[in-house]
Amino acid sequence: MKLKKLPIKAGVSNRHVHLSQEHLEILFGKGYELTPIKDLGQPGQYAAKEKVILVGPKGAIEGVRVLGPVRKATQVEISKTDAFKLGVNPPIKDSGDHEGSVGLTLVGPKGTVILERGVILAKRHIHMTPEEAEAFGVKDKDIVMVYCEGTGGRKTIFDDVLVRVSKSYALEFHVDTDEANAAMLSNNDPVYIIEEL
């Protein structure tokens, strides 16, 4: 197996919510603005102080973090384990693609939002700038394989990894908690694009 020489740091995504301004105000009050508490790996993105409750047909998950800034459409990203607890069956989707996605109920301190769609399992992906894409020999929307050793030595190859290229991105490989736990992969662990098996 031949690996690209440049390492990419891993970013493990726990369950979270991106809210539209309309839904933010329903959940937290008219004119409400998010309160940033921590910058995330991608420029301009941050974890907010605000949290909501996810309610599905079979159960609820409390204390789910809202990420900012607000978006055009509300999106809920969960793991398959979360989906079992909630009783929903979301598809694997790229962020922003809500076609065929499922819904659930969001509960905030001031109100409730019943989502008809927008709940997804995020497709694993790599963020990179155009310059980094050139260095890796890939382009936007390419599909690659990624190799990792993980902190516990459970070597894993992730197939079907989407490459996302933008000037506004920072180099990072994103997986959800289920995928990371299976590979014993932690935040900031190095992973590598496989050049050839």
Side-chain angles (χ1 to χ4, degrees):
M1 181 171 61
K2 185 178 179 183
L3 306 176
K4 303 276 188 181
K5 293 180 181 178
L6 297 172
I8 302 169
K9 74 174 181 178
V12 180
S13 295
N14 199 357
R15 66 182 77 98
H16 61 271
V17 177
H18 301 277
L19 293 174
S20 67
Q21 184 63 38
E22 177 190 0
H23 289 166
L24 175 65
E25 293 189 17
I26 292 171
L27 294 167
F28 291 93
K30 188 73 174 172
Y32 196 89
E33 295 183 4
L34 290 172
T35 310
I37 58 170
K38 181 185 177 184
D39 289 336
L40 300 177
Q42 295 306 305
Q45 305 293 306
Y46 58 86
K49 178 187 76 172
E50 290 71 25
K51 297 179 181 180
V52 297
I53 302 170
L54 306 182
V55 181
K58 290 187 177 178
I61 299 175
E62 297 185 6
V64 179
R65 182 78 60 191
V66 177
L67 303 187
V70 293
R71 292 193 176 182
K72 290 181 181 178
T74 294
Q75 177 172 292
V76 179
E77 297 180 39
I78 59 176
S79 69
K80 189 65 176 176
T81 300
D82 295 332
F84 288 136
K85 181 173 182 178
L86 293 165
V88 295
N89 188 26
I92 298 170
K93 289 283 188 177
D94 187 17
S95 182
D97 178 8
H98 298 167
E99 187 69 34
S101 62
V102 299
L104 49 63
T105 299
L106 303 176
V107 179
K110 300 288 187 180
T112 299
V113 171
I114 299 174
L115 283 181
E116 294 186 2
R117 53 188 255 163
V119 182
I120 64 169
L121 306 177
K123 184 177 180 68
R124 48 187 174 244
H125 57 277
I126 302 171
H127 291 279
M128 61 178 71
T129 64
E131 293 76 19
E132 289 161 341
E134 186 175 350
F136 281 106
V138 296
K139 61 185 185 302
D140 190 46
K141 304 300 184 188
D142 276 358
I143 301 295
V144 298
M145 288 190 291
V146 169
Y147 170 81
C148 73
E149 292 193 350
T151 50
R154 185 179 281 174
K155 297 176 182 179
T156 304
I157 293 174
F158 290 98
D159 200 355
D160 198 29
V161 179
L162 176 69
V163 174
R164 301 180 62 189
V165 180
S166 170
K167 291 179 180 179
S168 64
Y169 289 157
L171 186 62
E172 200 169 33
F173 170 59
H174 282 182
V175 289
D176 70 24
T177 51
D178 281 357
E179 295 173 298
N181 288 340
M184 299 179 75
L185 185 68
S186 300
N187 277 320
N188 299 315
D189 282 353
V191 302
Y192 298 86
I193 292 177
I194 297 173
E195 193 165 328
E196 59 184 53
L197 286 173

